[in-house]
Amino acid sequence: SSGINAEWPLRPGGFLYGRYEVEEHIPLGIKAVVSFVYEPPQRCSSNSVEFLEDDKQALVEELAGKLDLKRVGWIFTDLQALSRSDGTVRNLRHAKTYFLSAQECIHAAHFQNLHPSASPYSSSGRFGSKFVTVCVTGNSSNTIEMSGYQVSNQCMALVRDEILLPAREHPGQAYVKQSSSEQYVPDVFFREKDEYGNEVTKEARPLPVEYLLLQLPHGTPKSSYVPLLPGGPNGTFPILNRDQTADLEIFKRYYRSQPDEAFLETLADINVLYFLASNETLNFKESIGEICSAIKSRDRSLVEQFKVSPIWATFEQIISIDSDLSGGGETWACSTCTLINNATATACEVCGTPKC
């Protein structure tokens, strides 16, 4: 239900949106409860993912805020099919290779630096981060599993000061830059046991990334909290920044495929909410807060009130017409006020907007 496409041959990634809660079973423990995954525009390769400039980010952040959600982590996958007949995948990450690559650790540290934790006991008012990294990969049984990680505060500092690089020799090794005329870099050391069992000190050139990693437990919530789920009870809705772009006809088919009693679940999808908030024909931007409040509280009475509101009644009128809403049928919908006009009209009868 995350929205990550396991069939992609590359390494898609996304941001986890949710909230932090107290973990009752761990002293002073905090857990990140994920509600949805948002995939920004990205450039993927066989061993890395780069997030690109995103013109949808501001509205996604606004919608998340209305739902009392925020970025709590990021997720990526390296799934490669072993056998498509039985759904098995390759086991690429283990003790003889690596669990996170150096580049992934650097990405994780970068995101943790962007999302520091507030602390009244720190002189800067910030200390560490609760931002998590989740890798969806194949395990030793060749089945899909998730692994959760953070990097240490030391790794965050090395990345913040731009002195940690991925090593060329092995993806599971990092390299601390040497000092130059532009930047002084102090020596960094780590300890390991040699072949005789003796502890030896080595310079971090290269540095195994296991010294930077913290593994996190993960699981499926058992509480009554219901996250945003893509696709509603029936059917699916196009995921943002994928190949298919949502339009009014697609939304109409999606809405008609859902049961009447599941109106709340039909709207509880970040991709649907984005479409409603950004679509000029439907003009739901002023009402999106009301929808988000109903979803956030899981209050069916609130969402049912919205269902009988004038703006939704107008939408019901639009989707009751089977003809092409762009003007190819007997009627057409005004892009400004959504009024249904006769096919012969060249401008809207109410607001005067020209026919598209």
Side-chain angles (χ1 to χ4, degrees), residues 22-54:
V22 174
E23 174 51 71
E24 299 176 352
H25 301 94
I26 300 175
L28 302 179
I30 297 176
K31 61 183 178 182
V33 180
V34 177
S35 293
F36 69 88
V37 177
Y38 169 65
E39 298 177 26
Q42 54 199 269
R43 183 182 295 115
C44 303
S45 69
S46 60
N47 58 9
S48 67
V49 56
E50 177 188 1
F51 295 128
L52 307 176
E53 186 175 349
D54 184 9

Side-chain angles (χ1 to χ4, degrees), residues 4 16 22 44 93 106 114 175 193 196 217 246 254 279 296 306 322 333 341:
I4 292 293
L16 305 173
V22 174
C44 303
R93 297 169 187 263
I106 292 171
L114 291 178
Y175 190 90
K193 290 186 177 181
Y196 305 106
Y254 166 78
N279 188 278
K296 179 175 61 177
F306 174 75
D322 292 328
N341 294 272

Side-chain angles (χ1 to χ4, degrees), residues 54-74:
D54 184 9
D55 59 356
K56 297 182 178 68
Q57 177 180 332
L59 182 53
V60 171
E61 291 286 338
E62 180 184 342
L63 292 171
K66 292 181 184 297
L67 294 163
D68 285 345
L69 304 174
K70 60 182 178 181
R71 285 189 189 182
V72 295
W74 72 297

Side-chain angles (χ1 to χ4, degrees), residues 1-8 10-14 16 37 74-80 89-93 99-100 104 133-139 143-149 218:
S1 64
S2 68
I4 292 293
N5 186 350
E7 292 300 316
W8 280 12
L10 302 177
R11 302 164 58 91
L16 305 173
V37 177
W74 72 297
I75 185 171
F76 65 93
T77 177
D78 64 353
L79 294 175
Q80 294 183 15
V89 294
R90 297 185 184 279
N91 177 25
L92 303 175
R93 297 169 187 263
F99 295 101
L100 283 190
E104 291 158 357
T133 295
V134 177
C135 176
V136 183
T137 187
N139 59 21
T143 57
I144 298 173
E145 73 171 11
M146 292 187 295
S147 299
Y149 300 97
H218 60 84

Side-chain angles (χ1 to χ4, degrees), residues 49-331:
V49 56
E50 177 188 1
F51 295 128
L52 307 176
E53 186 175 349
D54 184 9
D55 59 356
K56 297 182 178 68
Q57 177 180 332
L59 182 53
V60 171
E61 291 286 338
E62 180 184 342
L63 292 171
K66 292 181 184 297
L67 294 163
D68 285 345
L69 304 174
K70 60 182 178 181
R71 285 189 189 182
V72 295
W74 72 297
I75 185 171
F76 65 93
T77 177
D78 64 353
L79 294 175
Q80 294 183 15
L82 181 63
S83 171
R84 294 189 180 275
S85 60
D86 58 9
T88 55
V89 294
R90 297 185 184 279
N91 177 25
L92 303 175
R93 297 169 187 263
H94 45 77
K96 294 183 179 180
T97 56
Y98 56 88
F99 295 101
L100 283 190
S101 70
Q103 186 63 65
E104 291 158 357
C105 287
I106 292 171
H107 277 314
H110 171 69
F111 289 135
Q112 289 179 212
N113 282 323
L114 291 178
H115 300 84
S117 295
S119 173
Y121 305 105
S122 171
S123 59
S124 65
R126 301 177 298 176
F127 183 80
S129 174
K130 297 186 287 292
F131 204 80
V132 300
T133 295
V134 177
C135 176
V136 183
T137 187
N139 59 21
S140 57
S141 301
N142 299 117
T143 57
I144 298 173
E145 73 171 11
M146 292 187 295
S147 299
Y149 300 97
Q150 280 193 312
V151 295
S152 65
N153 288 1
Q154 291 91 338
C155 181
M156 291 172 61
L158 292 172
V159 172
R160 178 200 63 204
D161 295 336
E162 300 181 351
I163 61 176
L164 189 68
L165 303 171
R168 294 180 180 178
E169 295 80 10
H170 190 278
Q173 292 184 334
Y175 190 90
V176 176
K177 288 171 57 176
Q178 296 189 359
S179 294
S180 65
S181 58
E182 291 80 21
Q183 183 183 28
Y184 169 73
V185 179
D187 291 329
V188 178
F189 299 93
F190 68 96
R191 287 186 176 182
E192 68 175 6
K193 290 186 177 181
D194 61 16
E195 62 270 25
Y196 305 106
N198 301 315
E199 277 200 355
V200 294
T201 300
K202 291 187 175 182
E203 195 174 23
R205 300 185 179 101
L207 169 66
V209 297
E210 285 78 10
Y211 288 86
L212 309 175
L213 278 180
L214 304 170
Q215 191 161 14
L216 305 177
H218 60 84
T220 303
K222 297 180 180 179
S223 66
S224 58
Y225 173 70
V226 180
L228 295 182
L229 297 175
N234 296 324
T236 57
F237 194 76
I239 295 175
L240 290 170
N241 299 313
R242 291 279 186 91
D243 292 336
Q244 186 181 26
T245 302
D247 56 27
L248 192 56
E249 185 64 28
I250 290 176
F251 184 71
K252 180 174 68 174
R253 292 198 300 267
Y254 166 78
Y255 175 67
R256 284 176 168 176
S257 71
Q258 310 302 326
D260 291 339
E261 65 274 12
F263 187 56
L264 177 64
E265 289 77 10
T266 299
L267 300 182
D269 178 345
I270 188 61
N271 305 290
V272 172
L273 292 175
Y274 185 93
F275 177 77
L276 294 177
S278 61
N279 188 278
E280 296 180 356
T281 301
L282 300 180
N283 196 25
F284 282 138
K285 191 166 181 62
E286 298 301 322
S287 306
I288 203 68
E290 182 181 347
I291 301 174
C292 290
S293 295
I295 295 172
K296 179 175 61 177
S297 62
R298 315 306 294 180
D299 191 332
R300 294 188 182 277
S301 62
L302 283 179
V303 79
E304 289 299 327
Q305 290 176 18
F306 174 75
K307 193 174 182 180
V308 297
S309 65
I311 188 171
W312 194 259
T314 302
F315 171 68
E316 292 276 7
Q317 181 187 14
I318 293 174
I319 65 171
S320 67
I321 301 172
D322 292 328
S323 60
D324 186 354
L325 297 180
S326 65
E330 296 179 357
T331 60

Side-chain angles (χ1 to χ4, degrees), residues 314 317-318 332-341 348-351:
T314 302
Q317 181 187 14
I318 293 174
W332 58 276
C334 175
S335 61
T336 301
C337 70
T338 72
L339 180 74
I340 304 301
N341 294 272
C348 178
E349 297 176 3
V350 172
C351 66

